[in-house]
Amino acid sequence: MRIIVALGGNAMTAADGSATPQAQIDAIATAMTHVAELVVRGHDVVLTHGNGPQVGNLLVKNELAANVVPPVPLDWCGAQTQGTIGFTVLNSLEAALRRHGVERPVAALISRTLVDGDDEGFATPTKPVGRYLSHDEAKVLIDHGQTWEDRGEKGWRRVVASPEPLEVLETGTITTLLDAGYLIVAAGGGGIPVVRDSAGELHGVEAVIDKDLTAAVLAKALDADVLVIATDVENVMVGWGTPQERALEAVTVAEMRQYAADDEFASGSMGPKVEAALRFIDEGGRCSVITSLDKIGDAIDPDADDVGTVITPG
């Protein structure tokens, strides 16, 4: 099968959230042991990944150096993190495959995601990024053209657009490499956001694209069989924090949409993952899986019982 795996930020940092270089290397090495298991089982794999902690580190550097050098724009931050994470994933995945005696070529692509320049998010940015700063610290960055909001006692925080992903522009290249037998890392952090101007030219923009929604777009474009969203829990839960709390296992699109309509999934965490999983099936996908990283192999195994949340057309 052709499988798109969207790795959450927890796969890129230590359990305590540490994002030191060694912590990231160790976390990615662990993640790739599970991805390698999919390859050993005979699947073609395309990986996407989050980049929140890594971009966060770059934003801190922007803030600390803003009086000395101009801040790096968010699209540049995305490109930089795609490069560093992709490099680390390639090293770890190759090593994991070698331990299984498997030789497969791997490649990481700097990937752009097309968004609509008229997306309402650009007019009213609401996606918070980075840390809280004092007004004086934020003003330096506001003077560089950034949008910051007063969040009361916590201080000021930057907000940016979070537009809908329309197309991963490197899809053709990914297809060519897949057909040649490659395992691919692409569309990291949801892809580098770009818009097309009236002359047809592309330009990077300051925005954050949800990586799971981009994964769904990419999965459809690549005619994938399964979209796997790897997170830090084994199952999607409903009734969270109540006596009625329970794990969802095999569910239909209609059931999941009803749960979503009942506000069972938080907009800042599980909500986008569920939406991405549903969109993929709506576009003709065979099934979507949401589960923990260590369960991704078993969750797509037809002989495994009740592993992860598996969403099907119904």
Side-chain angles (χ1 to χ4, degrees):
M1 291 192 296
R2 179 170 290 181
I3 301 171
I4 311 301
V5 179
L7 299 176
N10 62 297
M12 304 293 156
T13 58
D16 63 357
S18 173
T20 64
Q22 191 59 52
Q24 293 183 60
I25 290 169
D26 292 344
I28 290 172
T30 298
M32 290 308 105
T33 63
H34 302 299
V35 173
E37 292 172 3
L38 294 177
V39 180
V40 171
R41 296 184 190 201
H43 303 301
D44 292 327
V45 176
V46 175
L47 293 174
T48 70
H49 58 79
N51 64 352
Q54 293 78 16
V55 168
N57 282 350
L58 292 178
L59 293 178
V60 172
K61 293 175 183 179
N62 275 351
E63 295 156 8
L64 295 176
N67 283 314
V68 181
V69 295
V72 175
L74 267 177
D75 50 315
W76 283 35
C77 291
Q80 290 179 41
T81 58
Q82 282 188 4
T84 53
I85 293 172
F87 155 70
T88 308
V89 168
L90 294 188
N91 287 348
S92 296
L93 182 54
E94 286 178 340
L97 292 172
R98 279 196 300 271
R99 290 193 291 272
H100 286 283
V102 174
E103 292 290 337
R104 288 283 299 273
V106 295
L109 299 180
I110 302 301
S111 315
R112 300 161 297 170
T113 298
L114 183 67
V115 300
D116 187 348
D118 292 326
D119 190 292
E120 62 182 17
F122 290 110
T124 54
T126 59
K127 176 70 174 179
V129 296
R131 59 179 185 160
Y132 292 92
L133 297 180
S134 69
H135 173 264
D136 288 344
E137 292 172 315
K139 186 177 185 305
V140 175
L141 297 158
I142 292 170
D143 291 342
H144 280 286
Q146 296 181 6
T147 301
W148 286 69
E149 289 184 347
D150 185 354
R151 296 296 179 95
E153 292 184 1
K154 291 184 176 181
W156 287 65
R157 198 171 188 197
R158 187 181 180 189
V159 290
V160 299
S162 184
E164 284 279 324
L166 302 178
E167 178 187 359
V168 176
L169 296 179
E170 279 62 45
T171 298
T173 304
I174 297 168
T175 300
T176 299
L177 290 171
L178 281 172
D179 291 343
Y182 278 77
L183 307 171
I184 309 297
V185 184
I192 304 164
V194 296
V195 297
R196 197 182 300 277
D197 65 20
S198 58
E201 296 184 359
L202 294 166
H203 305 275
V205 289
E206 297 258 31
V208 173
I209 306 173
D210 184 273
K211 57 95 177 166
D212 295 313
L213 297 182
T214 296
V217 170
L218 183 60
K220 175 185 180 295
L222 295 176
D223 196 24
D225 298 290
V226 181
L227 170 62
V228 176
I229 298 176
T231 184
D232 55 358
V233 294
E234 185 172 337
N235 294 81
V236 179
M237 307 294 289
V238 292
W240 178 259
T242 72
Q244 291 74 42
E245 178 180 304
R246 64 185 177 90
L248 297 179
E249 295 170 349
V251 292
T252 66
V253 168
E255 290 169 332
M256 287 299 281
R257 288 224 176 270
Q258 185 58 57
Y259 290 133
D262 294 338
D263 294 326
E264 290 283 0
F265 313 123
S267 60
S269 55
M270 191 57 72
K273 294 175 174 57
V274 169
E275 179 60 27
L278 295 175
R279 288 186 188 185
F280 173 60
I281 298 176
D282 287 343
E283 295 288 349
R286 172 177 157 189
C287 79
S288 296
V289 175
I290 303 175
T291 193
S292 56
L293 183 60
D294 61 322
K295 299 293 184 181
I296 59 177
D298 290 336
I300 64 172
D301 187 340
D303 295 327
D305 294 326
D306 301 331
V307 178
T309 297
V310 180
I311 309 168
T312 57

